[in-house]
């Protein structure tokens, strides 16, 4: 391994003691099974039931598909590497680049999908009479395609700037590959990477925070000026579900980005990165599909599970 430009990298992965390997593997496997089962069941349920082919439920499908994609990007490899000594956890450079690309696609799409959800709830609560005209299924499809396409282009540039660099290191000090891990392999000047990465992060998080904040301030103003208990109840459901997941995703994401700038906080960064890719996917289907008081989804979900 003296060849520092080797296409074989050493991936640190999860650092667990031999005694904790089996409990860690079991817990992570159960979480992954739950993520896959809950999200796939929700997608199948909405796909098969034509009465659920509505904008809000189609957006649930978007989120669930993205969660399955994000969890599958990192968890299976982590499970495999738990029982492999840390000194033998090799990964091909191309595989590392693909994983980094998928990780950032998942992270970016999580924000853009939640932005569309916020817009959907804004129209439903603030302009209920025009909701059916504005938020058609075709509009949801167009917004979804746009959300994924924009992130795809931005992430392609982000990772491409790192791939262009020569490498003088071969160890990834992270549970999985991401863009920061890639450009840290280089001894070249990474000013362009830092500038674009910062711009990408500011644009994505700024757009996300700004749209969600403005949307819910508008919803709050409408509710305060309205005496309708039905309207206020719908708004409360929107706040508790959408904002709960947004706060969890935002905090774990921003902490992970910030901790990359502090090498001495490696373990804290690993925990934050794990939270971002495990907690939201595990909770999204439950919160959006069951815990919110959507009678149609709950009844059909229980019926689907009883018959399967």
């Amino acid at each position: 391994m003296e060849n520092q430009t080797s296409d074989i990298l050493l991936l640190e992965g999860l650092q667990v003691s031999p005694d904790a390997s089996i409990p860690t593997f079991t817990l992570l496997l159960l979480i992954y099974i739950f993520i896959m089962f809950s999200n796939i069941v929700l997608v199948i349920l909405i796909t098969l039931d034509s009465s659920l082919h509505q904008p809000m439920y189609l957006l649930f499908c978007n989120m669930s598909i993205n969660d399955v994609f994000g969890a599958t990007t990192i968890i299976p490899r982590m499970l495999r590497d738990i029982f492999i000594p840390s000194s033998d956890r090799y990964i091909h450079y191309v595989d590392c680049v693909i994983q980094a690309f998928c990780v950032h696609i998942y992270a970016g799409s999580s924000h853009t999908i939640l932005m569309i959800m916020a817009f959907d709830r804004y129209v439903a609560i603030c302009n209920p009479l025009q909701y059916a005209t504005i938020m058609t299924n075709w509009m949801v499809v167009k917004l979804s395609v746009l959300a994924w396409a924009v992130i795809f282009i931005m992430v392609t540039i982000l990772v491409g700037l790192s791939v262009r660099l020569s490498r003088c290191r071969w160890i990834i000090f992270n549970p999985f590959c991401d863009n920061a891990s890639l450009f840290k392999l280089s001894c070249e000047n990474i000013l362009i990477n830092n500038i674009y990465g910062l711009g990408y992060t500011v644009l994505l998080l700024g757009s996300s925070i700004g749209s969600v904040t403005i949307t819910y301030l508008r919803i709050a103003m409408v509710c305060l000026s309205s005496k309708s208990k039905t309207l206020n109840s719908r708004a409360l459901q929107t706040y508790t579900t959408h904002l709960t997941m947004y706060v969890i995703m935002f905090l774990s994401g921003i902490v992970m980005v910030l901790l990359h700038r502090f090498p001495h906080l490696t373990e804290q960064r690993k925990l934050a990165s794990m939270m971002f890719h495990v907690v939201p996917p595990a909770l999204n289907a439950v919160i959006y599909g069951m815990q919110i008081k959507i009678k149609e989804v709950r009844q059909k979900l229980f019926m689907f599970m009883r018959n399967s």
Side-chain angles (χ1 to χ4, degrees), residues 143-213:
L143 290 174
S144 299
V145 171
L146 179 63
W148 285 86
V150 168
I151 290 301
F152 182 87
I153 294 172
M154 295 177 68
V155 171
T156 299
I157 297 173
L158 181 74
V159 176
L161 288 174
S162 296
V163 172
R164 71 184 174 86
L165 300 170
S166 61
R167 302 187 302 280
C168 63
R169 304 180 184 94
W170 59 281
I171 301 179
I172 301 289
F173 295 102
N174 207 41
F176 51 85
C177 295
D178 59 6
N179 183 62
S181 300
L182 290 177
F183 67 66
K184 286 180 180 179
L185 296 174
S186 177
C187 293
E188 292 185 35
N189 188 324
I190 56 173
L191 178 61
I192 296 178
N193 297 73
N194 284 327
I195 292 175
Y196 182 83
L198 180 61
Y200 168 82
T201 303
V202 170
L203 178 61
L204 180 63
L205 295 184
S207 301
S208 178
I209 296 171
S211 62
V212 170
T213 301

Side-chain angles (χ1 to χ4, degrees), residues 267-283:
E267 296 306 315
Q268 290 84 346
R269 172 174 53 80
K270 292 178 183 178
L271 178 60
S273 63
M274 286 295 297
M275 278 189 59
F276 184 82
H277 290 86
V278 173
V279 176
L283 295 180

Side-chain angles (χ1 to χ4, degrees), residues 30-49:
L30 290 176
I31 292 174
Y32 182 61
I33 292 174
F34 178 77
I35 290 172
M36 299 297 289
F37 176 79
S38 59
N39 283 285
I40 290 176
V41 165
L42 187 60
V43 171
I44 292 175
L45 175 66
I46 294 174
T47 302
L48 296 181
D49 195 326

